[in-house]
Amino acid sequence: DAGVTQSPTHLIKTRGQHVTLRCSPISGHKSVSWYQQVLGQGPQFIFQYYEKEERGRGNFPDRFSARQFPNYSSELNVNALLLGDSALYLCASSMAGELDTDTQYFGPGTRLTVL
Amino acid sequence: ILNVEQSPQSLHVQEGDSTNFTCSFPSSNFYALHWYRWETAKSPEALFVMTLNGDEKKKGRISATLNTKEGYSYLYIKGSQPEDSATYLCAYPGSARQLTFGSGTQLTVLP
């Protein structure tokens, strides 16, 4: 079975631009979560979507948005990019929407560099 | 903001040594505690999701214990091998049911 896939693998943008990151969950998984990881820190929660509805939002500005499609894939959008948005963006999927007790299956991440 | 602390930050051990590290989390309103292993250039991999005080889980040479009353979990690796080299992350949901990760313990096993 295919694991969680993310695209693109790497991305270079300039300040002020917009970026869209994509995630395909494991087949049968209905929940997708997004995390931002900067060097030296653990992943930081951005969003969770379950059954196409937003289930949770972390402490990120409104420049960050996401959505989940009927096939349970998801997009993370970031507008007006700042240098500080440079990070590894991880997507994780799980079968149900219970972030506290469900095992999360992570993708390989998208490395975003903002110049 | 939840305080999830991991120690030590990094650790170097010799092949064959056993080792352990700690994750501390708020002891009130416990929900669950997750452990993940993250090897360089790979995706984080789930090790355990622990939900009960006194839980002990095992996966091969790796085991974990949980004390929800005092707010800590230990991860043990018996007979470390070079392939165990990775960053080990714990994550705690908290009342918002959003995973808050610690900064991780970076383990290097020297052959």
Side-chain angles (χ1 to χ4, degrees):
Chain A
D1 280 345
V4 177
T5 59
Q6 291 186 245
S7 63
T9 306
H10 295 87
L11 203 50
I12 299 175
K13 293 283 189 177
T14 56
R15 280 179 298 173
Q17 284 189 311
H18 161 271
V19 69
T20 297
L21 310 181
R22 295 179 175 85
C23 171
S24 291
I26 290 172
S27 178
H29 285 193
K30 298 180 178 179
S31 172
V32 169
S33 299
W34 288 94
Y35 296 84
Q36 181 195 65
Q37 196 259 339
V38 297
L39 204 60
Q41 297 180 22
Q44 188 174 357
F45 174 79
I46 310 175
F47 285 110
Q48 185 205 4
Y49 275 77
Y50 176 68
E51 288 282 17
K52 294 153 280 182
E53 299 283 331
E54 183 183 299
R55 260 273 176 112
R57 173 186 284 256
N59 190 23
F60 280 81
D62 292 343
R63 299 183 296 108
F64 288 76
S65 64
R67 55 180 175 166
Q68 188 176 33
F69 298 99
N71 67 353
Y72 301 109
S73 67
S74 178
E75 283 182 355
L76 176 70
N77 295 284
V78 187
N79 292 324
L81 284 167
L82 303 173
L83 295 178
D85 295 330
S86 296
L88 180 70
Y89 288 85
L90 292 165
C91 170
S93 76
S94 61
M95 292 207 53
E98 310 303 324
L99 263 189
D100 49 358
T101 53
D102 286 349
T103 296
Q104 301 297 304
Y105 295 85
F106 283 88
T110 293
R111 172 74 61 189
L112 172 65
T113 302
V114 182
L115 301 176
Chain B
I1 298 177
L2 288 179
N3 198 21
V4 181
E5 303 272 352
Q6 290 191 248
S7 62
Q9 188 174 355
S10 65
L11 195 53
H12 289 73
V13 301
Q14 291 294 136
E15 183 175 355
D17 286 351
S18 293
T19 186
N20 66 85
F21 20 94
T22 307
C23 173
S24 301
F25 51 86
S27 56
S28 58
N29 299 321
F30 178 80
Y31 293 89
L33 192 283
H34 296 229
W35 281 102
Y36 292 86
R37 173 171 61 196
W38 196 356
E39 294 178 66
T40 302
K42 293 189 177 179
S43 308
E45 173 199 359
L47 290 173
F48 308 113
V49 178
M50 310 181 78
T51 55
L52 297 174
N53 185 41
D55 238 357
E56 181 169 343
K57 298 215 171 185
K58 190 173 180 181
K59 185 175 184 177
R61 293 179 291 97
I62 303 177
S63 60
T65 60
L66 178 67
N67 184 323
T68 61
K69 295 186 189 310
E70 296 183 33
Y72 65 84
S73 175
Y74 292 140
L75 191 79
Y76 300 90
I77 303 178
K78 184 177 177 182
S80 302
Q81 299 297 309
E83 58 265 30
D84 296 327
S85 295
T87 296
Y88 291 82
L89 293 163
C90 68
Y92 178 73
S95 59
R97 305 178 80 186
Q98 301 168 0
L99 287 182
T100 297
F101 282 81
S103 297
T105 293
Q106 188 173 7
L107 174 67
T108 303
V109 182
L110 304 168

